[in-house]
Amino acid sequence: MRQVVKWSGMLKTRVITGVALLAGLLAALFFLPPPGWRVFCASICALAAWEWGGLAGWGGKARVVYGAVLGCLCLASILILSSALLLALFAGFFWLLVVPFWLWRKWLLRSWIAALTGFIVLVPPTLVFIGLREVFDSLWLLVVCALVWVADIAAYFSGRAFGGKKLAPNISPGKTWAGAIGAVIGVLVYCNVVLFAAQSHWRVALEMQQVALLPQHVLLLQLVFIGLAVWSIIGDLFESLLKRQAGVKDSSNLLPGHGGILDRIDSLTSTLALVYFFVGVISLFSHFH
């Protein structure tokens, strides 16, 4: 009974903080002018970099300097769109090719490797986050963010409801295969909802360009959503490994009930880095079909 009350209290704190975070993000997303949006995103990156320094075992001054440097790099890089896109593409390959091997080998963060890895993990997704809003619009960026939130929520509740075999017990004992499957199913349902809600808008846009929305396009988008859901889980596992190696439960205590900034954006760092990669694949597929 006491454990139920404790879990209920933690869930209440988590929900209150989550609602406040969502309200702040939506306000920034829809109302900040482009310069303000850039500063907002760069500030989030700076705070996450400060937490990253903690996971790497750096001292206080080094963490502050690292956070300030990465925040400034985000502001400088977004001014050169081509460099921002190249960094995002490079980060996509890092998540696809390096991180799975990292999780398998359980490498440790060391000195300059920690600095370089933190740059790859944090800066390119921040640039994508900034660029998606400026190149497309706020609503489509919200669609991408919601994908990660749906995966996280579905994994959390399906994992608690069904439990079962652990996904990666040596990295994150709380995660189960039931949670991972729940995340994928949740994202697939979310993808179909997005397709249904956007079909009239897309039909008009595609007819103007004399392009048909074919079944293979729908299937490809569903596969992309599933792929992003899988890599959101990998992003979560990656940060869990680093926290386990650092001997901490959360990246910081900045967010009551949620831990730190990294604890909230770990899945976004992996998925945002891959969004640009998948957008390029979809563009090529549409061009040749």
Side-chain angles (χ1 to χ4, degrees):
M1 182 66 180
R2 185 176 301 176
Q3 289 182 341
V4 173
V5 173
K6 182 179 179 181
W7 181 77
S8 177
M10 291 175 59
L11 181 61
K12 181 179 179 181
T13 302
R14 187 180 180 88
V15 169
I16 292 174
T17 303
V19 169
L21 290 173
L22 180 60
L25 174 62
L26 292 178
L29 184 60
F30 288 100
F31 298 110
L32 279 179
W37 175 248
R38 294 177 182 183
V39 172
F40 173 80
C41 294
S43 300
I44 298 299
C45 179
L47 288 172
W50 173 77
E51 293 177 345
W52 182 272
L55 297 181
W58 298 342
K61 290 183 179 179
R63 294 173 64 184
V64 171
V65 170
Y66 187 67
V69 169
L70 260 59
C72 291
L73 284 175
C74 289
L75 293 175
S77 299
I78 198 62
L79 298 176
I80 309 173
L81 187 59
S82 59
S83 68
L85 294 179
L86 284 174
L87 284 173
L89 186 61
F90 177 74
F93 282 109
F94 170 79
W95 283 103
L96 286 170
L97 302 177
V98 177
V99 171
F101 191 74
W102 189 312
L103 290 172
W104 175 46
R105 300 293 296 177
K106 296 182 177 60
W107 290 334
L108 297 173
L109 284 179
R110 299 295 187 192
S111 58
W112 66 270
I113 296 178
L116 177 61
T117 305
F119 171 84
I120 297 171
V121 168
L122 296 174
V123 173
T126 303
L127 298 179
V128 173
F129 206 60
I130 296 172
L132 282 176
R133 190 216 194 203
E134 296 187 2
V135 175
F136 296 98
D137 58 40
S138 300
L139 184 59
W140 288 112
L141 179 55
L142 185 60
V143 167
V144 174
C145 292
L147 181 153
V148 175
W149 300 335
V150 167
D152 187 42
I153 293 171
Y156 181 77
F157 285 103
S158 60
R160 291 196 67 89
F162 300 105
K165 188 176 181 180
K166 303 298 183 181
L167 178 63
N170 294 329
I171 297 176
S172 182
K175 294 180 177 60
T176 63
W177 279 102
I181 294 171
V184 171
I185 293 174
V187 165
L188 186 58
V189 172
Y190 169 71
C191 176
N192 291 326
V193 170
V194 170
L195 283 170
F196 178 79
Q199 63 180 345
S200 60
H201 170 75
W202 281 359
R203 185 180 297 115
V204 173
L206 291 170
E207 286 176 355
M208 291 177 63
Q209 300 177 33
Q210 297 183 342
V211 178
L213 184 59
L214 301 175
Q216 56 262 41
H217 296 153
V218 175
L219 176 60
L220 180 59
L221 188 62
Q222 291 172 337
L223 291 175
V224 167
F225 270 55
I226 292 173
L228 291 175
V230 170
W231 249 262
S232 74
I233 296 171
I234 289 178
D236 196 346
L237 285 174
F238 184 59
E239 199 223 349
S240 295
L241 172 64
L242 301 183
K243 289 190 296 185
R244 191 173 184 83
Q245 291 173 341
V248 297
K249 182 178 181 295
D250 299 312
S251 58
S252 76
N253 57 0
L254 291 176
L255 307 174
H258 288 265
I261 301 293
L262 275 175
D263 297 317
R264 289 299 87 218
I265 67 170
D266 51 6
S267 298
L268 272 173
T269 56
S270 55
T271 51
L272 283 172
L274 292 173
V275 163
Y276 174 71
F277 178 83
F278 284 134
V279 166
V281 171
I282 291 175
S283 299
L284 288 174
F285 185 88
S286 300
H287 177 73
F288 289 108
H289 292 79

